[in-house]
Every structure is written in structure tokens, then in C-alpha cells.
Amino acid sequence: MITGIPDKHYLRIGEVSALTGLPTSVLRFWETEFSSLAPKKSSSGQRLYTRKDVELVAQIKELLYVEKLTIEGARQRLEGKKKYRKSDLSGETLAALLHDVKLELTSLRDQL
């Protein structure tokens, strides 16, 4: 993940670009592709990213650039993480999660 995020309430898009090594155009594009990435805008229209937004950008970058997922794959992975929060895992939800993992692993095994 990203280390050295300044201790500020909001970061401008240029600061996030410098921290992540991503062009500002990529950050703006990702806003259209990932609904969970929605920085606030100032009265002058500048994007204001929170620490949570910057961490999400880093997570998306990891999924796309390191794990080589497609945008759709990264979106599904992010939605999957939201879908199964630890506090939400009831018996049925846990069983559904385990079933999904089993199907995914079986699919990966079959591809090998």
C-alpha cells in the first residue's frame, strides 16, 4: 500500500497523482469506472480525496497493475470485499462465501 500519506483531511488530485505515480487522467477515469471512488469536489470544482479514497486508489492500482485484473475483474473483487464483511458473516453468509471460494478454486484448478 501507500506509505507517507500526508496527515490532511483532503488531498487534491495532483497530490494523489504524485503519491500513487498515476496520471491525473487515470484517476479521473477510474472515478467513472469505480462507483466507490467518488472524491468530493470543492466549490471551484477541484477533486478532494480523503485518506480512504487514496487507499482505494492504491488498492485499485494493485488489482489492475500487479494482479493484472481487468477493470471489470477489479470492480468485482472490490464489490466482493464489501459483500463479505467480517461482522456480517452469519452462518448462511459464511456458507455462501465458502461455496463461492470453492467454485472459484475449482475453476482455477480446471484451467491448469
Side-chain angles (χ1 to χ4, degrees):
M1 281 291 160
I2 294 180
T3 57
I5 299 173
D7 191 22
K8 298 162 80 173
H9 287 290
Y10 295 106
L11 298 168
R12 293 193 169 121
I13 193 168
E15 295 170 306
V16 176
S17 174
L19 278 172
T20 60
L22 295 166
T24 56
S25 58
V26 170
L27 295 171
R28 288 190 300 270
F29 174 70
W30 285 357
E31 287 177 33
T32 65
E33 295 296 319
F34 297 94
S35 59
S36 53
L37 181 60
K40 294 182 180 187
K41 291 194 179 177
S42 69
S43 58
S44 62
Q46 286 197 344
R47 288 166 172 80
L48 302 173
Y49 289 79
T50 62
R51 176 177 289 274
K52 182 180 172 187
D53 292 329
V54 176
E55 290 170 354
L56 180 59
V57 166
Q59 193 174 14
I60 293 169
K61 181 180 177 183
E62 173 86 10
L63 292 172
L64 296 176
Y65 292 11
V66 176
E67 294 188 30
K68 305 288 188 198
L69 294 177
T70 62
I71 288 181
E72 182 61 32
R75 190 180 303 124
Q76 288 177 2
R77 179 80 62 89
L78 290 171
E79 288 172 2
K81 285 186 178 182
K82 287 182 187 174
K83 188 175 175 182
Y84 301 113
R85 290 213 168 104
K86 190 174 183 178
S87 62
D88 295 340
L89 290 180
S90 65
E92 291 177 18
T93 307
L94 182 58
L97 173 61
L98 291 174
H99 179 73
D100 291 348
V101 169
K102 182 179 177 182
L103 290 176
E104 184 68 24
L105 290 172
T106 304
S107 172
L108 289 172
R109 182 194 67 204
D110 293 345
Q111 290 177 6
L112 297 174

PDB file of all heavy atoms in Angstrom, residues 13 22-32 37 49 64-65:
ATOM      1  N   ILE A  13      -6.129  16.312  -6.395  1.00  0.00           N
ATOM      2  CA  ILE A  13      -5.830  15.258  -7.357  1.00  0.00           C
ATOM      3  C   ILE A  13      -4.345  15.225  -7.727  1.00  0.00           C
ATOM      4  O   ILE A  13      -3.769  14.160  -7.912  1.00  0.00           O
ATOM      5  CB  ILE A  13      -6.735  15.366  -8.610  1.00  0.00           C
ATOM      6  CG1 ILE A  13      -6.645  14.087  -9.453  1.00  0.00           C
ATOM      7  CG2 ILE A  13      -6.396  16.607  -9.409  1.00  0.00           C
ATOM      8  CD1 ILE A  13      -7.708  13.982 -10.525  1.00  0.00           C
ATOM      9  N   LEU A  22       0.339   7.815 -10.530  1.00  0.00           N
ATOM     10  CA  LEU A  22      -0.650   7.689 -11.604  1.00  0.00           C
ATOM     11  C   LEU A  22      -0.953   9.059 -12.196  1.00  0.00           C
ATOM     12  O   LEU A  22      -1.050  10.037 -11.459  1.00  0.00           O
ATOM     13  CB  LEU A  22      -1.956   7.089 -11.062  1.00  0.00           C
ATOM     14  CG  LEU A  22      -1.886   5.662 -10.545  1.00  0.00           C
ATOM     15  CD1 LEU A  22      -3.135   5.336  -9.745  1.00  0.00           C
ATOM     16  CD2 LEU A  22      -1.726   4.700 -11.704  1.00  0.00           C
ATOM     17  N   PRO A  23      -1.156   9.137 -13.499  1.00  0.00           N
ATOM     18  CA  PRO A  23      -1.557  10.413 -14.094  1.00  0.00           C
ATOM     19  C   PRO A  23      -2.951  10.829 -13.598  1.00  0.00           C
ATOM     20  O   PRO A  23      -3.791   9.976 -13.272  1.00  0.00           O
ATOM     21  CB  PRO A  23      -1.607  10.123 -15.596  1.00  0.00           C
ATOM     22  CG  PRO A  23      -0.889   8.839 -15.796  1.00  0.00           C
ATOM     23  CD  PRO A  23      -0.959   8.088 -14.491  1.00  0.00           C
ATOM     24  N   THR A  24      -3.190  12.113 -13.568  1.00  0.00           N
ATOM     25  CA  THR A  24      -4.496  12.593 -13.115  1.00  0.00           C
ATOM     26  C   THR A  24      -5.615  12.100 -14.030  1.00  0.00           C
ATOM     27  O   THR A  24      -6.728  11.862 -13.569  1.00  0.00           O
ATOM     28  CB  THR A  24      -4.517  14.132 -13.040  1.00  0.00           C
ATOM     29  OG1 THR A  24      -4.169  14.664 -14.318  1.00  0.00           O
ATOM     30  CG2 THR A  24      -3.568  14.644 -11.979  1.00  0.00           C
ATOM     31  N   SER A  25      -5.311  11.916 -15.306  1.00  0.00           N
ATOM     32  CA  SER A  25      -6.342  11.425 -16.236  1.00  0.00           C
ATOM     33  C   SER A  25      -6.794  10.021 -15.851  1.00  0.00           C
ATOM     34  O   SER A  25      -7.979   9.686 -15.984  1.00  0.00           O
ATOM     35  CB  SER A  25      -5.822  11.441 -17.676  1.00  0.00           C
ATOM     36  OG  SER A  25      -4.656  10.643 -17.788  1.00  0.00           O
ATOM     37  N   VAL A  26      -5.873   9.196 -15.364  1.00  0.00           N
ATOM     38  CA  VAL A  26      -6.230   7.843 -14.926  1.00  0.00           C
ATOM     39  C   VAL A  26      -7.127   7.919 -13.700  1.00  0.00           C
ATOM     40  O   VAL A  26      -8.125   7.204 -13.600  1.00  0.00           O
ATOM     41  CB  VAL A  26      -4.965   7.005 -14.639  1.00  0.00           C
ATOM     42  CG1 VAL A  26      -5.310   5.692 -13.946  1.00  0.00           C
ATOM     43  CG2 VAL A  26      -4.201   6.735 -15.925  1.00  0.00           C
ATOM     44  N   LEU A  27      -6.794   8.802 -12.768  1.00  0.00           N
ATOM     45  CA  LEU A  27      -7.626   8.956 -11.561  1.00  0.00           C
ATOM     46  C   LEU A  27      -9.037   9.394 -11.931  1.00  0.00           C
ATOM     47  O   LEU A  27     -10.017   8.868 -11.395  1.00  0.00           O
ATOM     48  CB  LEU A  27      -6.979   9.957 -10.603  1.00  0.00           C
ATOM     49  CG  LEU A  27      -5.629   9.532 -10.018  1.00  0.00           C
ATOM     50  CD1 LEU A  27      -5.000  10.692  -9.258  1.00  0.00           C
ATOM     51  CD2 LEU A  27      -5.786   8.320  -9.125  1.00  0.00           C
ATOM     52  N   ARG A  28      -9.143  10.340 -12.855  1.00  0.00           N
ATOM     53  CA  ARG A  28     -10.474  10.798 -13.273  1.00  0.00           C
ATOM     54  C   ARG A  28     -11.242   9.680 -13.976  1.00  0.00           C
ATOM     55  O   ARG A  28     -12.444   9.506 -13.772  1.00  0.00           O
ATOM     56  CB  ARG A  28     -10.356  12.025 -14.173  1.00  0.00           C
ATOM     57  CG  ARG A  28      -9.942  13.275 -13.418  1.00  0.00           C
ATOM     58  CD  ARG A  28     -10.055  14.528 -14.275  1.00  0.00           C
ATOM     59  NE  ARG A  28      -9.217  14.481 -15.455  1.00  0.00           N
ATOM     60  CZ  ARG A  28      -7.959  14.917 -15.525  1.00  0.00           C
ATOM     61  NH1 ARG A  28      -7.394  15.454 -14.461  1.00  0.00           N
ATOM     62  NH2 ARG A  28      -7.275  14.832 -16.643  1.00  0.00           N
ATOM     63  N   PHE A  29     -10.542   8.889 -14.797  1.00  0.00           N
ATOM     64  CA  PHE A  29     -11.189   7.775 -15.488  1.00  0.00           C
ATOM     65  C   PHE A  29     -11.695   6.742 -14.492  1.00  0.00           C
ATOM     66  O   PHE A  29     -12.811   6.239 -14.618  1.00  0.00           O
ATOM     67  CB  PHE A  29     -10.217   7.127 -16.485  1.00  0.00           C
ATOM     68  CG  PHE A  29     -10.757   5.884 -17.130  1.00  0.00           C
ATOM     69  CD1 PHE A  29     -11.797   5.956 -18.046  1.00  0.00           C
ATOM     70  CD2 PHE A  29     -10.240   4.639 -16.802  1.00  0.00           C
ATOM     71  CE1 PHE A  29     -12.309   4.808 -18.634  1.00  0.00           C
ATOM     72  CE2 PHE A  29     -10.740   3.490 -17.390  1.00  0.00           C
ATOM     73  CZ  PHE A  29     -11.774   3.574 -18.306  1.00  0.00           C
ATOM     74  N   TRP A  30     -10.866   6.421 -13.502  1.00  0.00           N
ATOM     75  CA  TRP A  30     -11.278   5.428 -12.507  1.00  0.00           C
ATOM     76  C   TRP A  30     -12.512   5.873 -11.744  1.00  0.00           C
ATOM     77  O   TRP A  30     -13.311   5.042 -11.310  1.00  0.00           O
ATOM     78  CB  TRP A  30     -10.140   5.133 -11.542  1.00  0.00           C
ATOM     79  CG  TRP A  30      -9.055   4.278 -12.140  1.00  0.00           C
ATOM     80  CD1 TRP A  30      -9.032   3.719 -13.390  1.00  0.00           C
ATOM     81  CD2 TRP A  30      -7.844   3.887 -11.518  1.00  0.00           C
ATOM     82  NE1 TRP A  30      -7.872   3.018 -13.574  1.00  0.00           N
ATOM     83  CE2 TRP A  30      -7.120   3.097 -12.445  1.00  0.00           C
ATOM     84  CE3 TRP A  30      -7.280   4.127 -10.279  1.00  0.00           C
ATOM     85  CZ2 TRP A  30      -5.884   2.548 -12.157  1.00  0.00           C
ATOM     86  CZ3 TRP A  30      -6.046   3.575  -9.987  1.00  0.00           C
ATOM     87  CH2 TRP A  30      -5.348   2.795 -10.912  1.00  0.00           C
ATOM     88  N   GLU A  31     -12.707   7.172 -11.580  1.00  0.00           N
ATOM     89  CA  GLU A  31     -13.922   7.662 -10.916  1.00  0.00           C
ATOM     90  C   GLU A  31     -15.164   7.239 -11.691  1.00  0.00           C
ATOM     91  O   GLU A  31     -16.208   6.980 -11.099  1.00  0.00           O
ATOM     92  CB  GLU A  31     -13.908   9.183 -10.820  1.00  0.00           C
ATOM     93  CG  GLU A  31     -12.945   9.735  -9.810  1.00  0.00           C
ATOM     94  CD  GLU A  31     -12.935  11.257  -9.842  1.00  0.00           C
ATOM     95  OE1 GLU A  31     -13.991  11.862 -10.109  1.00  0.00           O
ATOM     96  OE2 GLU A  31     -11.860  11.829  -9.595  1.00  0.00           O
ATOM     97  N   THR A  32     -15.044   7.176 -13.019  1.00  0.00           N
ATOM     98  CA  THR A  32     -16.199   6.774 -13.839  1.00  0.00           C
ATOM     99  C   THR A  32     -16.413   5.268 -13.807  1.00  0.00           C
ATOM    100  O   THR A  32     -17.524   4.802 -14.034  1.00  0.00           O
ATOM    101  CB  THR A  32     -16.041   7.235 -15.302  1.00  0.00           C
ATOM    102  OG1 THR A  32     -14.921   6.555 -15.896  1.00  0.00           O
ATOM    103  CG2 THR A  32     -15.858   8.733 -15.389  1.00  0.00           C
ATOM    104  N   LEU A  37     -15.223   5.019  -5.738  1.00  0.00           N
ATOM    105  CA  LEU A  37     -14.230   6.083  -5.783  1.00  0.00           C
ATOM    106  C   LEU A  37     -14.935   7.362  -6.232  1.00  0.00           C
ATOM    107  O   LEU A  37     -15.166   7.583  -7.411  1.00  0.00           O
ATOM    108  CB  LEU A  37     -13.096   5.732  -6.757  1.00  0.00           C
ATOM    109  CG  LEU A  37     -11.977   6.756  -6.887  1.00  0.00           C
ATOM    110  CD1 LEU A  37     -11.293   6.985  -5.539  1.00  0.00           C
ATOM    111  CD2 LEU A  37     -10.966   6.309  -7.923  1.00  0.00           C
ATOM    112  N   TYR A  49      -9.687  14.357  -2.269  1.00  0.00           N
ATOM    113  CA  TYR A  49      -9.609  12.961  -1.872  1.00  0.00           C
ATOM    114  C   TYR A  49      -9.359  12.835  -0.374  1.00  0.00           C
ATOM    115  O   TYR A  49      -8.512  13.535   0.172  1.00  0.00           O
ATOM    116  CB  TYR A  49      -8.458  12.270  -2.611  1.00  0.00           C
ATOM    117  CG  TYR A  49      -8.687  12.059  -4.081  1.00  0.00           C
ATOM    118  CD1 TYR A  49      -8.521  13.094  -4.987  1.00  0.00           C
ATOM    119  CD2 TYR A  49      -9.055  10.816  -4.578  1.00  0.00           C
ATOM    120  CE1 TYR A  49      -8.715  12.908  -6.350  1.00  0.00           C
ATOM    121  CE2 TYR A  49      -9.250  10.613  -5.932  1.00  0.00           C
ATOM    122  CZ  TYR A  49      -9.081  11.661  -6.814  1.00  0.00           C
ATOM    123  OH  TYR A  49      -9.279  11.463  -8.151  1.00  0.00           O
ATOM    124  N   LEU A  64      -5.185  -3.777 -10.725  1.00  0.00           N
ATOM    125  CA  LEU A  64      -5.032  -3.625 -12.169  1.00  0.00           C
ATOM    126  C   LEU A  64      -3.599  -3.832 -12.646  1.00  0.00           C
ATOM    127  O   LEU A  64      -3.373  -4.491 -13.660  1.00  0.00           O
ATOM    128  CB  LEU A  64      -5.518  -2.240 -12.608  1.00  0.00           C
ATOM    129  CG  LEU A  64      -7.006  -1.949 -12.396  1.00  0.00           C
ATOM    130  CD1 LEU A  64      -7.318  -0.521 -12.787  1.00  0.00           C
ATOM    131  CD2 LEU A  64      -7.870  -2.916 -13.193  1.00  0.00           C
ATOM    132  N   TYR A  65      -2.636  -3.287 -11.943  1.00  0.00           N
ATOM    133  CA  TYR A  65      -1.260  -3.277 -12.434  1.00  0.00           C
ATOM    134  C   TYR A  65      -0.436  -4.466 -11.947  1.00  0.00           C
ATOM    135  O   TYR A  65       0.433  -4.937 -12.657  1.00  0.00           O
ATOM    136  CB  TYR A  65      -0.557  -1.985 -12.047  1.00  0.00           C
ATOM    137  CG  TYR A  65      -1.096  -0.745 -12.733  1.00  0.00           C
ATOM    138  CD1 TYR A  65      -2.271  -0.742 -13.456  1.00  0.00           C
ATOM    139  CD2 TYR A  65      -0.414   0.448 -12.658  1.00  0.00           C
ATOM    140  CE1 TYR A  65      -2.763   0.389 -14.074  1.00  0.00           C
ATOM    141  CE2 TYR A  65      -0.884   1.603 -13.277  1.00  0.00           C
ATOM    142  CZ  TYR A  65      -2.065   1.561 -13.984  1.00  0.00           C
ATOM    143  OH  TYR A  65      -2.535   2.691 -14.597  1.00  0.00           O
TER     144      TYR A  65
END
